[in-house]
Amino acid sequence: MKKLKYVIGLFTLLFLLAACAEADKKDTVKVGIRSSELKTWEYVKEQASKEGINLELVTFSAQYDPNQALAEGEVDINAFQHVAYLNLFNTNNNSDLQAIGTTIMAPIGLYSNKYKSLDDIKEGAKIAVPNDPSNWGRALLLLQEHGLLTVTDNFDGNGGEDRIKGNPKNLTILPVDGATTPRVMEDADFAIINNGVAVEAGLLLKDAIIHESKTAKPFINVIVAKAEDKNNDTLKKIVEIYQRDETGKFIKEVSNGNYIPVEMPLDELATWKDFYSY
């Protein structure tokens, strides 16, 4: 009888261990995305299915933050944001959502209907920038990277008229609604345009005079999970599938070169705040 109880207990333990292992695998994973990422994630879903992982794509409108859905357990991971946005969400909501892998950069760029190079930026030139704090800040950093101005000390990534420390060419910075930046090019000399807005206006990244590169770490997009899931093997596999060369080629093709695939170690990505003080 004792032997029988031992055997039953052993099988019960093995069953529970197997159940726990199966739960940890998360073989069906809900992924929160925006519609702009749908084609890429449909491709990733197809590749993942070949390896026994089923992805359920949950597309959110601009009215609902996929981070909120992740925090509330509606999805298992999301992929729509850069690390600076993630940090702001965590700060504002006292949450601990964590990046588990990099995906792409959707660079902002400097465009013009009148000029072709940085050499054409003359004294007092008018440059339109998006007026929302995040993209305004990105615009200022892009101009700083190319020596056109400097931002204030302790810059936090958000733009504003008071965030310019040095302006040797006396550039006129014109903050406008981000959606109107392509049209404002008719009145301004240059415009810094968000990637998605540029695409909608028929502009490609290759048309930009300058644009962000992989060095702009705060604006690299990431796959995000809850802290307790950051080491989950299935989620790590999804990141690995996304970062494959074949996926990168697909992204470049489907976006007409407007997205830059980025594979960066998380420990290197963790230094993103250093970008604001270079």
Side-chain angles (χ1 to χ4, degrees), residues 134-199:
S134 176
N135 284 309
W136 192 344
R138 291 176 73 173
L140 296 182
L141 287 170
L142 179 64
L143 295 175
Q144 174 172 269
E145 183 179 359
H146 292 272
L148 295 169
L149 52 75
T150 56
V151 299
T152 55
D153 299 334
N154 301 317
F155 185 70
D156 63 358
N158 292 310
E161 294 178 1
D162 59 342
R163 302 302 177 93
I164 299 175
K165 179 179 180 180
N167 187 358
K169 288 194 173 185
N170 294 310
L171 302 175
T172 300
I173 305 300
L174 304 171
V176 300
D177 184 282
T180 69
T181 44
R183 296 194 297 275
V184 174
M185 281 197 294
E186 299 301 323
D187 301 314
D189 298 303
F190 303 87
I192 293 181
I193 306 177
N194 179 274
N195 191 283
V197 175
V199 171

Side-chain angles (χ1 to χ4, degrees), residues 67-86:
N67 279 334
Q68 197 64 45
L70 177 58
E72 295 175 359
E74 295 178 30
V75 295
D76 299 303
I77 57 175
N78 66 40
F80 76 101
Q81 66 193 312
H82 51 60
V83 289
Y85 183 93
L86 172 62

Side-chain angles (χ1 to χ4, degrees), residues 33-34 58-75 80 85:
I33 59 173
R34 300 285 195 205
V58 183
T59 305
F60 292 98
S61 69
Q63 284 70 44
Y64 191 66
D65 193 327
N67 279 334
Q68 197 64 45
L70 177 58
E72 295 175 359
E74 295 178 30
V75 295
F80 76 101
Y85 183 93

Side-chain angles (χ1 to χ4, degrees), residues 43-54 241 244:
Y43 175 86
V44 174
K45 178 179 179 179
E46 181 181 348
Q47 302 309 306
S49 68
K50 298 176 183 178
E51 306 195 30
I53 302 172
N54 178 51
I241 292 170
R244 288 174 182 171

Side-chain angles (χ1 to χ4, degrees), residues 95-150:
S95 56
D96 188 25
L97 305 181
Q98 296 190 13
I100 61 172
T102 57
T103 57
I104 60 169
M105 168 167 277
I108 62 170
L110 178 73
Y111 297 83
S112 178
N113 287 335
K114 306 170 186 176
Y115 305 106
K116 299 295 183 183
S117 76
L118 287 180
D119 294 336
D120 296 321
I121 300 181
K122 307 300 182 184
E123 181 83 12
K126 296 180 180 179
I127 302 179
V129 301
N131 63 4
D132 63 284
S134 176
N135 284 309
W136 192 344
R138 291 176 73 173
L140 296 182
L141 287 170
L142 179 64
L143 295 175
Q144 174 172 269
E145 183 179 359
H146 292 272
L148 295 169
L149 52 75
T150 56

